[in-house]
Amino acid sequence: DQQVKQNSPSLSVQEGRISILNCDYTNSMFDYFLWYKKYPAEGPTFLISISSIKDKNEDGRFTVFLNKSAKHLSLHIVPSQPGDSAVYFCAASGWTGGGADGLTFGKGTHLIIQP
Amino acid sequence: NAGVTQTPKFQVLKTGQSMTLQCAQDMNHNSMYWYRQDPGMGLRLIYYSASEGTTDKGEVPNGYNVSRLNKREFSLRLESAAPSQTSVYFCASSGSLYGYTFGSGTRLTVV
């Protein structure tokens, strides 16, 4: 059973507009959530995270929102730029920082920014 | 540059052959991990090591073994490769609030 779900395999957004990537989780023990960005032929790189004690975290153009009651988080990218085209993975942990027992990843969403 | 180094980057094996994927980190992280990435499946945890001298199974450990040689190095071994093990393998390490640092991956094809 998939504990972290990214239901949109791909998303196409026009340059300059807002990109919204969604993620749902089922395990109520998760208390730390992260987004990773991955370019082809490279490893994933950390983008932004949020602890379950918060409902929003911002870093420049990137904002992550967490709705604990709905077990839902989203990543907003404003404005979207061509370099944002990549696969984005949502990940969750039961221990702040990634946990000794590993992060659980979603299947990823391929974001395509159209010029 | 500081980070996680994986070798080799590419490998083709015949069914039944064995090989070891190497991983080293220079960030003094305690925890290290091996993931595999398959199309439409995301990243799945194979094995992890919470600290030097300990290893534990992840979600998909069958057909693999690991060794945490020291704090820096964590290797993944395929004793008898199968076509189902064709995948991209990522090593990662963790030691902070900011999740993992990943290596650039090993693309393995088993024919």
Side-chain angles (χ1 to χ4, degrees):
Chain A
D1 184 35
Q2 207 179 349
Q3 297 188 68
V4 177
K5 300 177 184 179
Q6 294 177 257
N7 293 320
S8 299
S10 66
L11 175 67
S12 184
V13 175
Q14 199 167 10
E15 182 179 358
R17 307 294 288 268
I18 183 171
S19 295
I20 300 176
L21 291 84
N22 293 305
C23 178
D24 298 292
Y25 62 96
T26 58
N27 188 341
S28 58
M29 298 300 292
F30 288 146
D31 62 1
Y32 197 71
F33 303 90
L34 307 92
W35 284 94
Y36 282 82
K37 179 179 181 179
K38 184 183 180 304
Y39 292 118
E42 294 183 11
T45 55
F46 170 77
L47 188 58
I48 193 169
S49 63
I50 188 166
S51 165
S52 60
I53 63 173
K54 294 186 175 183
D55 55 16
K56 177 181 174 181
N57 187 30
E58 277 184 273
D59 184 1
R61 296 185 298 114
F62 303 93
T63 302
V64 56
F65 295 92
L66 175 62
N67 183 332
K68 281 188 67 179
S69 61
K71 294 189 175 69
H72 177 82
L73 62 155
S74 60
L75 173 68
H76 293 210
I77 305 173
V78 185
S80 299
Q81 298 175 354
D84 297 330
S85 294
V87 176
Y88 289 79
F89 290 100
C90 173
S93 168
W95 176 84
T96 300
D101 60 350
L103 292 172
T104 301
F105 285 84
K107 293 184 178 182
T109 296
H110 185 195
L111 176 64
I112 302 162
I113 305 301
Q114 305 277 8
Chain B
N1 293 334
V4 177
T5 302
Q6 290 183 237
T7 56
K9 292 190 182 301
F10 301 94
Q11 184 72 49
V12 178
L13 290 179
K14 293 183 178 179
T15 298
Q17 285 185 318
S18 63
M19 79 161 294
T20 299
L21 282 65
Q22 305 288 352
C23 175
Q25 53 96 3
D26 58 5
M27 296 169 287
N28 203 37
H29 287 168
N30 284 322
S31 303
M32 297 186 73
Y33 310 85
W34 277 104
Y35 282 85
R36 59 179 288 175
Q37 185 193 8
D38 302 293
M41 298 297 290
L43 291 155
R44 293 183 293 169
L45 183 64
I46 304 171
Y47 270 93
Y48 65 96
S49 170
S51 61
E52 184 179 354
T54 68
T55 61
D56 285 284
K57 295 178 181 179
E59 181 186 355
V60 288
N62 291 344
Y64 305 94
N65 286 301
V66 290
S67 295
R68 183 74 183 268
L69 304 170
N70 47 56
K71 191 170 186 179
R72 290 188 63 247
E73 298 172 290
F74 188 37
S75 62
L76 179 71
R77 183 160 178 84
L78 287 70
E79 292 290 352
S80 180
S84 61
Q85 294 178 304
T86 293
S87 187
V88 182
Y89 292 85
F90 290 100
C91 177
S93 69
S94 176
S96 75
L97 291 173
Y98 301 104
Y100 296 177
T101 300
F102 282 87
S104 58
T106 296
R107 186 174 295 274
L108 175 67
T109 302
V110 183
V111 297

